[in-house]
Structure formats: C-alpha cells, structure tokens
Amino acid sequence: MKRLIHVLLFFLLVQVVYGQQAKYVFYFIGDGMGVNQVNGAEMYQGELDGRIGVEPLLFSRFPVASMASTFSATNSVTDSSAAGTALSTGEKTYNGAIGVDMDKAPLMTIAERAKKAGRRVGVTTSVSVDHATPAAFYAHQPDRNMYYEIGLDLIAAGFDFYAGGGFLKPETRADGTEAPHLFPIFEEAGYTIARGYEDYKAKSGSSDKMILIQKEGAPTHSIPYAIDREEGDLTLAQITESAVSFLTKNNKKRFFLMVEGGKIDWSCHNNDAATTLKEVVDMDEAVKVAYEFYKKYPKETLIVVTADHETGGMSLGTGRYEMKLSSLEYQQSSLEILSASITDLRKAHNNQVSWEQIKELLGEKMGFWKQLPISWEQEKKLRDEYENSFVKNKQEFVESLYSRTEPLAACAKNVMSEIARVGWTSGGHSAGYVPVYAIGAGANLFMGTMDNTDIPKRIAKAAGY
C-alpha cells in the first residue's frame, strides 16, 4: 500500500512539473534595442499623451524585468552574429560567427533542441531571413556574410516556418561564384514560398512547411520601417500572426517561435531617433499578438523579450534639463526615404533646386518651419549643407552600416535629434546592458541580472528541451 502511494505521488509530481513546462515559447529579440530605446519609446508615447512620464509598452509591463550583458568571446562589443549565437546556443563565440564555436564547430541551437523535442519551430524577422540573428537559430557558418550557404542551412534545419523580407544572395556563393537559385531548392525540400500576407493566407492551409517573404518586386533586405509603411506592406505583427496560425494548424500542440525586430538596429546605426522609437513601438505590436495567445494558455505559454545588443549609444537628454520627444511625431519618413526624396528632387530639376524647394520638402517630411520651429543655428546648418550639395555640388554622401544617404538628409536628421534632445555616441554597437522581460510558464527563471548566454538555457529549462 505504501509503495502504491509513493508511485502515485511520483506520477502526481511528474504531472505537476510537466504542467508547468512551457508548451508554447515566444522569443522576441529587438536587434539593437537597449534600455534607452525602450525607455525612449515609452517617454515618446507619454509626451504624445500630453504629459511627462512614460506610457508603458506591453512587454515592459511583464511581471519579470531584468537585464543581460552582451559581450562576445572576442570583444566587449559584440556584433549581431556573435550575440545571436549566444542567444540561440548559450555559448559565446567570435564576432562574425553564425551558430559555431571558437573552433568553428557547430553548436546546437535552442530552436534545434525544440525541433528535436518534437516541437514545431518558426524563425522570423523584419529583415532578411538569412541575416545574422535569424541565421544564428538555424545555420552553422564561420562567417555571417555567407548568405547562400546560410540559405542552404535553412533546409538542413528543417524548421516548419520561416519569414522575413527575403534572401540577400539566393544565386551567389560566398566565393562569388554563381549557384543554383535557392527558391527551387527550397520548394524541392517541401517548402511553400508565400509572397506577402495575402499569399500566405491563400497557401498556408495546404502547406506542410512555409517560407513567407515580401511581395514580388519588393526589396529583399527587409520589410519597410513602420514609419514608411504603406497599405499592403508586410508587417512584423502579420508575420507573428502567420507564424502562430501555421505552427498551431491542424491542432498541432507545442511550438517554439523566434521573432526579431531587426530594423531597430538599422535605424540606430543611422542615429535616426524618430524611426527607432517607432520601430520599438512596432515590435510591441508583434508582442501583442503573442500576448493574445498567452491569454488563452497562460499556464502553458512563455514569452521572453530581449535584445542582442544596444546600437548607437542612444542617450535621452543632451545636457539641458529637458526633452522634446513629441517633436519626433512630425517626422514622416525614415532617413533612407528622406534621402531618396532629396535625390529625386535633384534629378527632377537637374540639380537646379532652390532653397525654397528644399524648405518645402523638409517641412513636409520633417515638420520643420511648419509644426516645428527651428532655431537660427539649426536653419544655418541646413542652409550651409544645401549650399554645399546644390550650389557648390559637393555631395559627400554619409555612410552607415545599412545606408548611404544624401548629406542634407543626414543634416536634417541631426537637427531633429537636437530638437528632441536625443544624443548618440556612435553609429555602431555599444557594450551596454540590454533589457530582459518575461511572462508566463517559467518566467520566474529570468529574475536577476544575467548574461545573454543564460537566456536560451533558461528557456530550455522552462520548456523541458
């Protein structure tokens, strides 16, 4: 009788532990999203409400909030591939590595562990599917720039759902030689390629494995910034919705889904404050999709939100004891689109563009002189750059990691940061802590300061991989 009681207690304990495991895991990574990017987005929303303070994002209200260090094995300042590998495998590696250790040997990722444990798996992003962070969850290559080879690893991983802007080099190997196009290879491996949200909805029901990318003819490097979005553009929230519906169709239980807000990093490389804060808010919209799922299965769902590193050394305040983040509301396009508009104006008028035409454009795109008064010093900066670019024809384009922009556009962006009182220390990454937020099954594991390598290990513990 005593033996029977012990056996029953054992099975009861197993059921309790099993019931506490996370059957559904959402792993959100805001690329480049440091503490100030989050706080800035919340203060921006607060100012739009006409008050001083914060209007919290959904994910910042999660019951567990902490922070993580981000250094790589080779430098205190990590790149996205080493950080992505740390977040996917729980191991440090060198900058530039994708899913491999210091000896370039493959490391098992949390996504691969989930697949091995019988979960359905999705890897999604707002940038290209073969970019550093998503690649670190399914690929194993010594160099993040081996885009074609990373694409082939997608097939080897065999995950159920991939999504992003597209693929950067689907016909070119790392050594520059021409290669068979990846898309027929994907299809031969059983993947259905959906181009856009509507195409996904039409094809998802009859597909076993899916790759969702932008519509035919759209850029392959990423989906548009939230600030530039037009009707019909693919969004990160739609990508998240599609992933959830695909991973749970036919009453399939248990999944792992990684979602990257990749363009926070890009706009921070550009030191583009308005675009950055709106990208953070936009990733929160994707988190809301996960949260709606969590509300249905609160005891079985884990949502973790973090970042791979901070980008730009963003500061909230530039010396004077004031902020004007609400000014950023009047910026109507990203730095890249503003630059393209200036280039188009230049071409349309054979470089014979008047200062009044420039003022009209900047008024429309940035709110200068219209909604936003600017100082004499700020107008002089813009006028001097106009003189260099259009009168003296000294067009020294401004380079950042992901863009090459008209000097006048860069100047206008800098003026906007001055008005909003946002500072930047660089156009690259910094070594600052990044935030960690969690809710749901196993969220208590994410209390206390940690290293980025701890995060996948704690997810694996929560999910029982």
Side-chain angles (χ1 to χ4, degrees):
M1 184 65 178
K2 186 180 290 186
R3 175 182 171 82
L4 178 60
I5 292 173
H6 287 162
V7 170
L8 290 173
L9 286 174
F10 172 78
F11 279 109
L12 180 61
L13 179 62
V14 169
Q15 287 181 340
V16 169
V17 173
Y18 182 77
Q20 292 174 337
Q21 285 185 349
K23 294 181 179 179
Y24 313 105
V25 175
F26 293 89
Y27 193 0
F28 285 88
I29 300 173
D31 198 317
M33 187 183 73
V35 173
N36 278 356
Q37 280 80 356
V38 175
N39 192 22
E42 295 181 323
M43 294 176 74
Y44 168 69
Q45 293 190 136
E47 286 193 24
L48 290 184
D49 284 344
R51 56 186 175 79
I52 302 300
V54 300
E55 177 60 37
L57 300 163
L58 171 64
F59 64 74
S60 70
R61 287 178 279 178
F62 285 178
V64 175
S66 185
M67 57 186 179
S69 51
T70 63
F71 58 92
S72 73
T74 54
N75 205 292
S76 295
V77 179
T78 187
D79 82 326
S80 290
S81 55
T85 298
L87 290 172
S88 68
T89 70
E91 299 291 337
K92 297 286 188 184
T93 191
Y94 60 91
N95 286 351
I98 294 290
V100 298
D101 64 16
M102 292 293 291
D103 297 320
K104 301 182 181 180
L107 294 164
M108 180 170 281
T109 74
I110 185 73
E112 290 169 330
R113 289 183 184 277
K115 190 64 177 175
K116 188 176 180 180
R119 276 60 162 177
R120 304 196 83 195
V121 175
V123 173
T124 67
T125 179
S126 60
V127 295
S128 65
V129 181
D130 49 11
H131 217 260
T133 303
F137 282 79
Y138 65 81
H140 306 278
Q141 296 295 337
D143 189 327
R144 61 181 291 177
N145 296 313
M146 300 175 71
Y147 297 113
Y148 186 83
E149 292 76 7
I150 287 169
L152 293 176
D153 280 353
L154 176 155
I155 299 168
F159 297 160
D160 303 276
F161 186 89
Y162 298 91
F167 293 83
L168 293 177
K169 295 185 178 180
E171 297 180 275
T172 308
R173 299 183 184 90
D175 62 7
T177 60
E178 188 176 343
H181 200 291
L182 284 173
F183 287 11
I185 300 174
F186 291 158
E187 291 170 338
E188 188 176 339
Y191 286 94
T192 299
I193 298 174
R195 295 182 178 275
Y197 189 51
E198 295 303 318
D199 196 33
Y200 161 77
K201 290 191 287 186
K203 293 177 176 178
S204 61
S206 59
S207 302
D208 294 324
K209 295 186 289 186
M210 174 71 71
I211 299 173
L212 169 60
I213 57 176
Q214 291 213 90
K215 293 178 180 178
E216 190 78 48
T220 60
H221 55 70
S222 66
I223 64 175
Y225 285 116
I227 197 172
D228 298 327
R229 185 177 299 148
E230 297 180 357
E231 186 176 352
D233 286 337
L234 188 61
T235 72
L236 192 62
Q238 288 176 339
I239 285 173
T240 308
E241 290 172 2
S242 301
V244 172
S245 68
F246 194 83
L247 296 176
T248 58
K249 73 174 187 172
N250 301 327
N251 295 316
K252 294 287 186 180
K253 298 295 182 182
R254 300 176 176 273
F255 65 74
F256 170 90
L257 174 61
M258 192 284 289
V259 181
E260 183 202 21
K263 297 194 77 171
I264 300 169
D265 176 65
W266 292 23
S267 58
C268 286
H269 277 292
N270 289 338
N271 294 170
D272 184 348
T275 302
T276 294
L277 300 188
K278 291 173 185 180
E279 282 300 296
V280 174
V281 172
D282 191 62
M283 193 181 85
D284 196 49
E285 292 299 313
V287 175
K288 288 177 182 177
V289 175
Y291 186 72
E292 289 302 311
F293 185 92
Y294 159 82
K295 289 195 297 184
K296 297 177 184 176
Y297 309 101
K299 295 180 180 180
E300 301 171 310
T301 303
L302 171 65
I303 306 175
V304 177
V305 181
T306 189
D308 54 353
H309 53 74
E310 193 276 342
T311 301
M314 186 183 198
S315 63
L316 303 175
T318 55
R320 293 174 61 175
Y321 297 158
E322 62 180 29
M323 291 285 292
K324 296 181 180 178
L325 293 177
S326 58
S327 304
L328 302 175
E329 176 186 13
Y330 300 109
Q331 182 172 326
Q332 299 300 309
S333 63
S334 67
L335 176 64
E336 288 96 323
I337 297 300
L338 175 60
S339 177
S341 298
I342 293 173
T343 298
D344 289 344
L345 190 64
R346 184 191 299 278
K347 291 178 179 178
H349 296 275
N350 195 28
N351 210 46
Q352 303 302 308
V353 180
S354 71
W355 171 238
E356 290 306 315
Q357 288 173 307
I358 291 296
K359 287 185 69 174
E360 181 64 28
L361 177 64
L362 294 180
E364 174 190 342
K365 295 291 187 179
M366 306 294 282
F368 296 164
W369 300 287
K370 294 184 177 181
Q371 297 93 341
L372 290 178
I374 65 174
S375 68
W376 179 87
E377 292 84 357
Q378 289 163 344
E379 179 163 345
K380 184 176 186 303
K381 289 179 183 179
L382 294 168
R383 183 63 185 255
D384 287 349
E385 193 54 66
Y386 161 77
E387 293 284 340
N388 280 329
S389 294
F390 288 91
V391 179
K392 300 176 182 177
N393 289 322
K394 295 180 180 179
Q395 301 168 29
E396 296 182 11
F397 278 65
V398 178
E399 304 275 353
S400 72
L401 187 59
Y402 295 110
S403 69
R404 183 175 182 270
T405 58
E406 287 266 3
L408 186 56
C411 183
K413 173 262 302 182
N414 292 339
V415 168
M416 181 61 85
S417 284
E418 283 184 17
I419 294 170
R421 303 292 179 190
V422 173
W424 303 89
T425 62
S426 78
H429 299 176
S430 74
Y433 280 114
V434 294
V436 182
Y437 306 93
I439 190 172
N444 60 301
L445 295 171
F446 297 87
M447 294 179 177
T449 304
M450 67 197 81
D451 185 61
N452 56 6
T453 56
D454 295 320
I455 298 173
K457 294 172 184 175
R458 297 181 189 192
I459 291 175
K461 184 175 182 180
Y465 300 156

